Amino acid sequence: MSKKVLRTLLPLAFWLLLWELAAGLVGQEFVLPGPGRVFAVFLELAGQETFWRTVFLSLARMVGGILMGTLLGVILAVLGQVSPWLEGLFAPAIQVVRAVPVASFILLVLLWVERNWVPVAVSALMVLPVVWAAVRQGLSAADPQLLELARCYRMSRWKTVRLVYLPALAPAFSTGLATAMGLAWKSGVAAEVLCTPKVGLGTEIYGARQALESPELFAWTLAVVALSLLMERLVRRMLRKGGAV
């Protein structure tokens, strides 16, 4: 346990020290505030009710987008596995979603939906191709011999899914979901920065940038990073308990 703690704390201490040295060399808080100043502002913000309201609304948007993108990705991947024709139909659209820059998607979605829903839609679009590819990979990894055995024993479709497909799917799905969550957070906060909903982490980041409040800008960014890491850890723990990782 002590070695594990050291492996975590030593790199963190190194980068904090490097940050402090860089801030001291720059000598201008406007350009690069030190970690102590940023953490002080973060604690000050965390003591306000509006901070937690902002965090909750942004978190709700990101979770909604992740759930929507994951559900749609799983459905399209399963349909593609069942029907090669459907896979050929979906694949070009998935590739387009994967290739289009996030900023372009944000601006396009802003034309079609209300600004408070833009981060949800953008997050879902970023999650969709990653989950789709992960599920397709997992389904393709199912052991043909086990599938043949299931047919020989006339197992029900649900039993075949539970005993053959789900174990093959779990590793790829858990890895893909972890990657998708990181993309969802980045794209969702970027959408909030560009579309500036009434309340949101991205809106606060944009406001701090406009007001030239660098410590506050860093503090809100720290909140985004902390929430992303916390959410990813919680999902990994849930998947681990469910036997997915």
Side-chain angles (χ1 to χ4, degrees), residues 66-83:
I66 291 169
L67 291 177
M68 288 173 56
T70 300
L71 180 61
L72 189 56
V74 170
I75 291 174
L76 294 182
V78 171
L79 290 176
Q81 177 73 12
V82 173
S83 170

Side-chain angles (χ1 to χ4, degrees), residues 15-35:
W15 289 110
L16 287 175
L17 178 60
L18 188 63
W19 180 5
E20 181 65 37
L21 291 174
L25 289 174
V26 172
Q28 296 183 12
E29 186 177 274
F30 164 73
V31 178
L32 182 63

Side-chain angles (χ1 to χ4, degrees), residues 150-151 153-164:
R151 283 191 290 269
Y153 281 93
R154 296 182 181 180
M155 291 184 182
S156 65
R157 184 170 298 178
W158 167 242
K159 195 171 184 180
T160 302
V161 169
R162 182 170 59 87
L163 296 179
V164 180

